[in-house]
Amino acid sequence: MSVDILLGLQWGDEGKGKIVDVIAPKYEVVARFQGGPNAGHTLEFDGHKHVLHQIPSGIFHSNIKNIIGNGVVLDPIIFKKEIDGLAKFNINFSKNLFISKKAQLIIPSHRLLDLASEKNKGEGKIGSTLKGISPTYQDKIARQGLRVGDILDKNFKIHYNTLLDIHKSKLDFYAFDLSKDLTGIKDFEKYDFDFKKIEADFFAAIEFLKTFNLVDSEYLINEELSKGKSVLAEGAQGSLLDIDFGSYPFVTSSNTTAAGVCSGLGVAPSKVKEVYGIFKAYCTRVGSGPFPTELHDAVGEKIRQIGREFGSTTGRPRRCGWLDLPTLKYSSMLNGVTHLLMMKADVLNDFEEINICTGYKLADGTITDQLPYDMVKESVTPIYKTMKGWNCDLSPYKTFDTMPETLKSYIKFIESETKIPVSVVSIGPDRTQTISKL
Ligand code: GDP
Ligand code: IMO
Ligand code: MG
């Protein structure tokens, strides 16, 4: 059968975890193809709230094989914590969870390097989640990273120490440029990140990881496909954080777009069918970088409070702003989106009017609906269309046909601009708060 993809069209946190969980029963396999513990995917059902970082969001369905693909970077310590946190939910991990031997390992010094790099950038910092994502992908591309399969090698500790030595010399380099309060980082062992303790946790977590299904996941997925099973690829982050197409350099270090599925799972493009593109009825961003429709006023604060816009992974307040159609069209184009899924419509229940950005005015006066080459340097002023808000509680609405006309008009406008159907409207964090045509 085929692979469907579900991914974020904005700067992450669109609600991917919720929707994977909702549509998972249609699939036999759910697989993560990129990213790592920088992700925080929230699922709510039966009065429980779960935030998953590395484990695919199909894990609560007992008939689904969940795969952590080769394109992922895996932190064994966080993995162990996540599994321990799920202990009371009777999940059969030996039947339902598979980890690619080719996924890259995040080791403790990757996290230090992330921190050192960010401190070194000063004002220009990316706003990384400090989970070691960029240093781990750097080692992968430099062909010196450690992979999950390496933990089965009796010389793993030697390989680990070789990589740690490289990291120590890099940390020395950063110490050269670091501001005074960070000079401690030069003395690796004494830095207040308790390295010895974290290293001990790491090796305990490696032993724990060895007890799971470590597989050649590209074979597993393709075998499932040839048996007629269907696969859902679960994106992490969002298209505007893609290493190639995001607002570089304020991006993450992987291909978050549909292309990442083929390399991150080992499936051919011809196997891909539907692409579900998730977006919020407004926009948010955590970390630094351009955000044309960002609101620095009371309206932005109102969205943040009602939408509980605080990071699932770091707890940082998310920056909030109006829906931005140029970026939505750009992301939809890059991913070949076949269905749009609009999340958190309920957050705008209390607005009489809603703005929607239809284009940008550039510094030279040009009006465009395309993203400029350098969103960081180019001054971009959003052009807004103001629409009537639905201004009511959406919870009684169960179908598209019966929705308030104002919400229908908002959706119709998005559909006419993107030329893609909106097939889901989410009106609350719970599984059941979903209006769907899928
Ligand atoms: P992800 O990273 O894309 O999976 O998204 P996050 O889990 O980081 O952030 C989405 C947040 O919005 C979570 O707290 C969800 O529980 C919540 N959420 C998802 N859908 C809705 C919705 O339709 N309405 C509201 N109010 N909250 C939602
Ligand atoms: P989910 O999957 C929102 C952001 C960080 C930072 C930039 C680089 O939950 O949507 P990194 O740690 O990857 O080096 O950080 O990317 N970022 C996210 N923002 N949701 C995420 O994941 C994110 N993962 C990374 O805030 O700006
Ligand atoms: Mg998230």
Side-chain angles (χ1 to χ4, degrees):
M1 275 268 279
S2 52
V3 179
D4 292 346
I5 305 174
L6 183 147
L7 42 70
L9 300 178
Q10 295 165 326
W11 285 282
D13 303 327
E14 296 89 349
K16 299 175 289 292
K18 165 179 168 164
I19 294 296
V20 173
D21 175 59
V22 169
I23 66 172
K26 296 197 332 192
Y27 298 89
E28 278 91 9
V29 176
V30 173
R32 281 276 308 268
F33 58 94
Q34 45 70 235
N38 46 352
H41 294 181
T42 314
L43 294 73
E44 285 192 35
F45 55 89
D46 300 340
H48 292 287
K49 176 174 171 174
H50 305 273
V51 182
L52 299 173
H53 299 286
Q54 305 180 110
I55 296 175
S57 301
I59 199 66
F60 296 101
H61 297 269
S62 58
N63 293 325
I64 292 179
K65 288 191 166 88
N66 288 269
I67 300 178
I68 298 178
N70 57 281
V72 169
V73 290
L74 185 84
D75 184 326
I77 301 178
I78 295 175
F79 175 75
K80 182 169 184 308
K81 271 196 204 131
E82 282 196 84
I83 298 284
D84 290 347
L86 292 171
K88 58 175 184 279
F89 295 99
N90 291 327
I91 294 167
N92 184 346
F93 292 109
S94 61
K95 178 171 159 258
N96 295 127
L97 184 61
F98 299 83
I99 302 161
S100 170
K101 287 198 225 170
K102 296 186 178 73
Q104 295 277 324
L105 278 180
I106 301 178
I107 70 170
S109 43
H110 280 129
R111 282 162 54 198
L112 274 181
L113 280 168
D114 211 355
L115 175 69
S117 160
E118 284 286 83
K119 293 287 180 190
N120 192 49
K121 286 191 163 84
E123 289 290 298
K125 73 174 185 198
I126 307 298
S128 150
T129 59
L130 301 179
K131 302 290 178 200
I133 305 298
S134 160
T136 309
Y137 277 117
Q138 286 176 45
D139 280 341
K140 172 179 181 174
I141 301 303
R143 300 165 296 187
Q144 62 192 18
L146 293 171
R147 301 187 294 174
V148 167
D150 297 339
I151 68 175
L152 304 172
D153 184 333
K154 65 177 179 355
N155 292 324
F156 175 66
K157 188 86 199 259
I158 297 174
H159 299 313
Y160 167 86
N161 280 321
T162 305
L163 189 57
L164 181 58
D165 283 344
I166 296 172
H167 290 176
K168 281 182 175 172
S169 59
K170 280 192 179 175
L171 284 161
D172 274 347
F173 160 78
Y174 280 120
F176 186 73
D177 272 335
L178 285 173
S179 60
K180 243 194 196 154
D181 60 324
L182 280 153
T183 45
I185 207 164
K186 191 164 195 260
D187 190 351
F188 194 62
E189 307 286 317
K190 284 193 204 128
Y191 186 64
D192 65 354
F193 173 104
D194 186 348
F195 192 74
K196 283 265 181 278
K197 155 125 195 8
I198 290 177
E199 202 175 48
D201 290 348
F202 173 77
F203 281 105
I206 289 290
E207 291 310 309
F208 182 75
L209 185 57
K210 281 182 188 166
T211 65
F212 285 77
N213 297 306
L214 309 183
V215 299
D216 293 308
S217 60
E218 63 278 30
Y219 278 115
L220 176 60
I221 291 183
N222 282 288
E223 277 159 18
E224 292 292 320
L225 286 170
S226 54
K227 280 192 247 165
K229 312 281 185 197
S230 47
V231 174
L232 180 65
E234 173 181 0
Q237 290 76 57
S239 302
L240 303 174
L241 290 170
D242 181 275
I243 184 72
D244 282 280
F245 299 108
S247 42
Y248 194 86
F250 298 100
V251 292
T252 191
S253 298
S254 63
N255 281 116
T256 58
T257 41
V261 174
C262 297
S263 58
L265 292 179
V267 294
S270 55
K271 295 278 194 294
V272 175
K273 202 168 155 211
E274 305 295 346
V275 181
Y276 299 114
I278 310 232
F279 69 102
K280 286 179 192 175
Y282 48 93
C283 279
T284 64
R285 175 165 202 164
V286 237
S288 327
F291 181 177
T293 62
E294 181 169 14
L295 293 162
H296 297 278
D297 56 9
V299 178
E301 188 54 35
K302 183 172 167 184
I303 295 176
R304 184 175 306 113
Q305 292 306 330
I306 299 176
R308 297 209 196 100
E309 294 296 356
F310 298 88
S312 311
T313 300
T314 57
R316 290 178 292 179
R318 295 176 183 146
R319 301 155 64 193
C320 298
W322 296 118
L323 184 62
D324 179 337
L325 287 177
T327 56
L328 195 65
K329 288 196 261 186
Y330 183 65
S331 298
S332 300
M333 171 187 83
L334 296 173
N335 291 304
V337 170
T338 57
H339 295 272
L340 288 168
L341 294 80
M342 185 168 90
M343 309 299 291
K344 301 189 91 158
D346 56 299
V347 173
L348 300 184
N349 283 355
D350 199 21
F351 286 75
E352 278 174 24
E353 287 188 332
I354 297 173
N355 282 340
I356 181 162
C357 167
T358 54
Y360 303 138
K361 187 171 181 193
L362 306 182
D364 65 1
T366 314
I367 307 255
T368 178
D369 67 352
Q370 296 201 350
L371 273 61
Y373 160 68
D374 191 338
M375 290 269 277
V376 181
K377 294 204 186 94
E378 178 70 61
S379 126
V380 168
T381 309
I383 299 164
Y384 289 114
K385 173 182 169 73
T386 301
M387 299 191 71
K388 247 183 131 208
W390 37 100
N391 209 6
C392 66
D393 176 13
L394 288 180
S395 50
Y397 297 96
K398 307 283 176 224
T399 64
F400 272 76
D401 291 344
T402 53
M403 279 175 189
E405 288 304 319
T406 34
L407 176 55
K408 280 188 194 165
S409 306
Y410 192 68
I411 292 169
K412 268 201 199 114
F413 184 63
I414 294 168
E415 291 181 329
S416 70
E417 288 282 306
T418 57
K419 316 270 186 297
I420 303 168
V422 174
S423 302
V424 167
V425 175
S426 176
I427 54 168
D430 194 84
R431 244 184 213 173
T432 56
Q433 294 169 302
T434 313
I435 304 173
S436 176
K437 285 199 239 179
L438 290 173

